[in-house]
Amino acid sequence: LRRELTSAVTPEEAVAKYKEYKERTEAQRLEALKRSGLFYDVYSPKAAARRHELRIALAKRCAEAFIADMKQNRFDDCRLRATTVDATGRCPIVPSYCLQDPDTNALLVRAVPPATSVWDIYDALQPCPGLAGFSMSTARTSRDVRARFSSSGEARSAVEALSSSTRAGMDKLRPALVDPSPAQKALVLPPEMSAPVRVSKDEDLSARIIRHLNVFLGIAEEVTEKVLRMPGSSEFKLDVQVLFLRRVHNFCFYSGQWCDDAWDLRERCGVLCVRAAMVRLSLEGTWAGQHDERLNAFLSSATFVAPDVSSFSDEVSRRVGELLDANTTKINDARYQCEQCKKHFKGPSYVHKHLRKVHQDVIEAVEREVYHSAACAAFEADATALDPQRIPLALS
């Protein structure tokens, strides 16, 4: 623009040129935004479907790990009961099988660049052994990604894998191991929650919620029965079931909050809830009544429905069919040609099979176009849409 604004340009022409420059820059910023990983993460129906699938996959993985811990009797010494209570109504605790700090054996990627999709990070981490948790912040302009692993060695290996990834845009990431908090405190529940009758009620109520959520997430009935049929006292069984809900479903039994991941659970509900010393009360108080109401309301209203992408899948199938036909040319009754590479085949079905196998990039481009168009439509309909002027993106 400065090169164009010479001394020969009139003030009116300068204003017109500036207006044209501004419109062109705004269009470039919008186009850069629509090509970004951030845009895909926020608006693509495929990203929404992946979030749903990821939650299911991680829940199943955590359920398997929980059953493995049960077989090794790692919960035998766990008791969700306060030993001491400070002036704030909290109980100091140390990391154990009762308390699983999500920052233990975890990595953090701060401020993921807008050009990068969080799914690029997940795809780079997925082959890493021991992946046990994954979290992506919902903030649109400042995104953090966290991942938890089964051991410190696996977490270090994952940091190295991310740092050396050759995927586009990954060189801008700065993954680092997280230092877990050395001292944490659990919330201590009101005394009425420790009464034997209340503990028995909560054992039954937590079992109902486990069955409910396990069905939602497709966790095998065999797993459910192993957890609910674990031998022991009513108090012990309640503790195991409460831990199962936290570690597998990120569900806080005492607040009735179903959270997105382990970090969201810690942020919204604290690191753990423990009962006070065992008491014998004949009547329950207000807190226990509200606790029942919260959980019954959750059981009656909670849903977990996969995003409906059938219309997009149908559109992809239709366009791919058109593409296959357009790239298949009949030479004669016994010979058909692939228009991509000019090879000949004895029938159209063979050309179609060849196109799907050898020219997969052409097929994938159709799918990307369909989902990108859907994302653009969602962006246009969003009243709080991302502002291209506020997001730092490289312009072509």
Side-chain angles (χ1 to χ4, degrees):
L1 180 61
R2 289 181 178 177
R3 289 194 297 269
E4 295 179 19
L5 297 180
T6 64
S7 58
V9 176
T10 66
E12 293 77 12
E13 290 174 332
V15 169
K17 285 181 177 293
Y18 175 74
K19 183 179 179 181
E20 179 185 341
Y21 163 79
K22 188 176 180 182
E23 291 174 350
R24 185 171 65 249
T25 303
E26 288 177 354
Q28 288 175 337
R29 286 189 179 279
L30 179 59
E31 184 58 31
L33 172 63
K34 289 182 176 181
R35 293 196 310 269
S36 71
L38 172 61
F39 189 83
Y40 172 87
D41 294 345
V42 174
Y43 293 111
S44 175
K46 197 163 188 178
R50 289 198 71 180
R51 284 193 293 272
H52 185 88
E53 293 164 1
L54 175 63
R55 189 156 186 174
I56 293 173
L58 289 178
K60 290 180 177 179
R61 193 175 300 178
C62 290
E64 291 174 1
F66 195 94
I67 294 300
D69 287 344
M70 285 176 55
K71 289 180 178 178
Q72 297 180 40
N73 303 317
R74 287 179 169 170
F75 297 111
D76 285 1
D77 297 328
C78 286
R79 295 293 183 273
L80 302 187
R81 189 188 299 175
T83 52
T84 59
V85 183
D86 64 18
T88 66
R90 287 173 165 79
C91 172
I93 49 176
V94 294
S96 67
Y97 275 97
C98 286
L99 169 66
Q100 193 172 63
D101 183 354
D103 285 339
T104 301
N105 305 328
L107 64 81
L108 169 64
V109 181
R110 288 195 181 278
V112 177
T116 304
S117 167
V118 296
W119 293 106
D120 293 334
I121 300 175
Y122 176 75
D123 290 339
L125 289 174
Q126 193 174 20
C128 298
L131 181 63
F134 188 82
S135 169
M136 57 190 84
S137 61
T138 56
R140 293 186 170 193
T141 54
S142 180
R143 300 173 299 158
D144 296 339
V145 166
R146 291 173 170 82
R148 181 168 53 85
F149 293 83
S150 300
S151 70
S152 58
E154 289 167 338
R156 285 193 296 272
S157 297
V159 169
E160 294 171 4
L162 270 187
S163 301
S164 60
S165 175
T166 57
R167 292 171 180 266
M170 301 292 277
D171 58 317
K172 303 290 193 301
L173 304 181
R174 297 294 179 266
L177 293 174
V178 181
D179 293 325
S181 176
Q184 301 192 63
K185 294 183 177 182
L187 299 170
V188 180
L189 299 165
E192 62 195 275
M193 301 304 293
S194 303
V197 173
R198 181 68 251 176
V199 169
S200 180
K201 285 183 180 179
D202 281 343
E203 180 197 343
D204 293 339
L205 196 49
S206 59
R208 287 175 59 199
I209 295 175
I210 286 175
R211 291 188 184 280
H212 200 66
L213 293 181
N214 280 6
V215 169
F216 276 172
L217 277 295
I219 293 174
E221 179 67 19
E222 178 186 2
V223 171
T224 304
E225 295 306 316
K226 284 181 179 179
V227 174
L228 300 185
R229 292 183 179 180
M230 190 171 188
S233 66
S234 186
E235 183 182 16
F236 174 68
K237 293 176 74 172
L238 170 61
D239 290 347
V240 171
Q241 289 167 196
V242 167
L243 289 174
F244 182 88
L245 287 170
R246 286 190 70 93
R247 291 173 57 169
V248 174
H249 294 295
N250 304 305
F251 182 87
C252 177
F253 177 70
Y254 291 105
S255 69
Q257 296 290 315
W258 192 15
C259 303
D260 293 334
D261 51 63
W263 292 271
D264 184 39
L265 175 64
R266 182 183 62 183
E267 178 69 22
R268 293 165 60 182
C269 307
V271 295
L272 199 62
C273 291
V274 296
R275 294 183 300 279
M278 183 67 76
V279 297
R280 296 189 178 278
L281 300 174
S282 57
L283 295 175
E284 290 188 345
T286 304
W287 207 96
Q290 293 174 341
H291 169 66
D292 286 340
E293 291 175 3
R294 282 193 297 270
L295 296 183
N296 284 317
F298 174 81
L299 286 167
S300 64
S301 63
T303 58
F304 187 67
V305 180
D308 185 7
V309 296
S310 58
S311 61
F312 308 115
S313 299
D314 292 344
E315 179 65 9
V316 170
S317 297
R318 185 186 69 79
R319 292 197 190 183
V320 167
E322 293 176 351
L323 177 74
L324 295 175
D325 290 340
N327 281 273
T328 303
T329 300
K330 182 178 180 180
I331 305 300
N332 54 49
D333 289 342
R335 184 168 296 185
Y336 292 78
Q337 179 175 270
C338 167
E339 289 301 320
Q340 290 290 321
C341 62
K342 306 304 181 182
K343 285 186 177 180
H344 290 184
F345 299 86
K346 62 182 180 181
S349 63
Y350 292 94
V351 180
H352 293 179
K353 184 178 180 180
H354 162 79
L355 284 163
R356 289 182 183 278
K357 182 178 181 180
V358 178
H359 304 293
Q360 192 175 7
D361 56 329
V362 179
I363 307 296
E364 291 173 349
V366 172
E367 182 179 2
R368 285 196 300 271
E369 182 182 347
V370 170
Y371 281 103
H372 183 68
S373 297
C376 291
F379 171 74
E380 296 296 337
D382 184 7
T384 59
L386 295 168
D387 184 356
Q389 308 306 314
R390 294 177 177 271
I391 298 172
L393 288 161
L395 304 184
S396 58

